[in-house]
Amino acid sequence: MAVGYKQLLAEAEAVVQSVTVDEAARMRDDPQVVLVDIRDPRELEREGLIPGAFHAPRGMLEFWIDPDSPYHKPRFAEGGTYVFYCASGWRSLLAARVAQEMGLDARSLRGGFGEWRRAGQPVAGRPAKG
């Protein structure tokens, strides 16, 4: 194998700014910040998500970001800062790197949704429309 997941994560960590749960909780009130949940829909149904978060499944992310894609979502053309998160922070770190490469101001939530819940932060049941 030429490149493994550990190397991919290390490379992403070198270029992506990660935010702590406390930082993300403060950023949630900023209208220029979009929290993006990239987990599988089954994870959302089972565990909920951060209130106000926008759901963008990881498998569709590149297509939803690119304005030339037939699957483009306008939410990704609004500008601002996008804080990606997953269950533990690995998928979101890789997603934030791709989003940066595609021109977004992207961050990753360190520790992901699991850390958010352990910190006692609020959890909602359904994703925000976007």
Side-chain angles (χ1 to χ4, degrees):
M1 181 181 317
V3 177
Y5 82 94
K6 289 179 183 178
Q7 182 178 344
L8 291 171
L9 288 171
E11 290 171 359
E13 197 162 53
V15 296
V16 172
Q17 180 181 347
S18 290
V19 298
T20 65
V21 167
D22 289 341
E23 291 169 326
R26 286 191 300 274
M27 295 171 85
R28 222 166 53 95
D29 295 328
D30 184 338
Q32 294 298 310
V33 174
V34 179
L35 296 175
V36 183
D37 191 319
I38 62 162
R39 295 175 300 149
D40 182 275
R42 291 174 298 243
E43 291 175 278
L44 298 181
E45 290 173 18
R46 186 174 59 243
E47 301 169 8
L49 74 166
I50 297 174
F54 174 65
H55 181 237
R58 177 63 189 98
M60 292 299 294
L61 188 61
E62 291 85 349
F63 303 101
W64 284 20
I65 291 173
D66 187 343
D68 292 331
S69 165
Y71 301 104
H72 174 69
K73 298 293 182 190
R75 189 73 184 256
F76 288 114
E78 294 174 358
T81 300
Y82 297 85
V83 178
F84 293 87
Y85 72 91
C86 61
S88 66
W90 288 2
R91 288 175 287 174
S92 61
L93 185 58
L94 297 175
R97 181 178 184 178
V98 166
Q100 277 185 352
E101 291 171 353
M102 295 182 77
L104 298 184
D105 177 7
R107 317 274 166 84
S108 178
L109 177 59
R110 186 176 294 117
F113 187 70
E115 190 64 29
W116 179 269
R117 288 183 68 186
R118 283 188 289 281
Q121 293 293 340
V123 173
R126 296 191 176 264
K129 298 288 182 192

